[in-house]
Amino acid sequence: MDDSPVKITLVAAASRNHVIGAGGDLIWRISDDFKWFKSMTMGKPMVMGRKTFDSIGRALPGRDNIVVTRSSDFAGEKTYIARSLDSAIKLARHCADVAGADELCVIGGGEIYAQALSRADRIYLTRVDVEIEGDTVFPEIDSRDWAETRAGSGEKNTHNEYACEFFILDRKSRIRAKRL
């Protein structure tokens, strides 16, 4: 296990049935979630899969954008490219050290979340109040492993297609290790 002080954090929005996307795109527009996402990731390196980068359509400003792809011809403007999650995390830790950030953010998609979950120290999770069809899901979280703190909510309105709640989940084993 890496003893770097930089936390690995997953940032995700998922429906009640764990769906996070369909057809390579977001499946809702929730202004409060966009604001939460921005506040949780600004100034921190972000690791994402190529499909997630493509769905965003550009590098997000104020953050190092690290794209995991097996494609040798991928070239994203203002991005770093990694060939594996391990390489991306190593690069993100370096970027975090340079920026003075205490965490790196894994922002999707489904395959990247599944690979990173066992390594994650924290999750910033938006729970979207809907059951919806989709082809990309957030991995199942075992609640016994995580201490959950509610951090706010967003009501369904003209800016939020669905109501949502924001949570911070910290891995219990990491909390206990810090106390020892």
Side-chain angles (χ1 to χ4, degrees):
M1 162 106 47
D2 192 338
D3 61 357
S4 170
V6 176
K7 290 185 202 106
I8 297 175
T9 301
L10 308 186
V11 184
S15 68
R16 289 190 307 255
N17 56 331
H18 308 286
V19 172
I20 61 173
D25 204 1
L26 290 175
I27 47 181
W28 46 66
R29 296 288 179 248
I30 303 173
S31 180
D32 288 344
D33 179 52
F34 289 142
K35 291 173 188 169
W36 165 258
F37 174 87
K38 184 176 181 180
S39 71
M40 294 299 106
T41 61
M42 188 56 71
K44 302 170 187 172
M46 297 185 313
V47 173
M48 68 194 89
R50 184 202 42 82
K51 293 175 189 174
T52 297
F53 178 80
D54 288 346
S55 75
I56 295 169
R58 63 184 171 88
L60 294 175
R63 295 150 276 201
D64 290 307
N65 290 246
I66 302 164
V67 179
V68 179
T69 181
R70 292 181 290 269
S71 174
S72 60
D73 61 348
F74 174 82
E77 190 173 323
K78 298 182 181 178
T79 62
Y80 296 100
I81 298 169
R83 300 293 176 219
S84 68
L85 181 62
D86 285 341
S87 296
I89 287 174
K90 183 177 180 179
L91 177 57
R93 285 189 191 284
H94 173 74
C95 291
D97 287 340
V98 169
D102 63 350
E103 61 188 358
L104 64 90
C105 298
V106 176
I107 66 164
E111 291 177 38
I112 299 295
Y113 286 137
Q115 290 177 37
L117 182 60
S118 66
R119 300 170 70 172
D121 301 293
R122 173 173 281 172
I123 303 171
Y124 296 125
L125 180 62
T126 301
R127 289 195 176 118
V128 181
D129 190 21
V130 65
E131 290 207 14
I132 197 162
E133 293 295 317
D135 56 17
T136 308
V137 297
F138 191 76
E140 194 75 36
I141 298 170
D142 187 339
S143 62
R144 296 173 295 185
D145 294 336
W146 299 91
E148 181 177 285
T149 304
R150 187 175 181 274
S153 63
E155 295 180 11
K156 180 178 178 176
N157 57 38
T158 57
H159 301 289
N160 296 327
E161 190 175 357
Y162 302 104
C164 62
E165 290 184 282
F166 308 111
F167 293 91
I168 301 170
L169 290 80
D170 287 301
R171 189 176 293 277
K172 290 178 181 177
S173 62
R174 307 288 200 297
I175 296 168
R176 282 192 297 271
K178 286 182 186 176
R179 290 183 187 152
L180 296 179

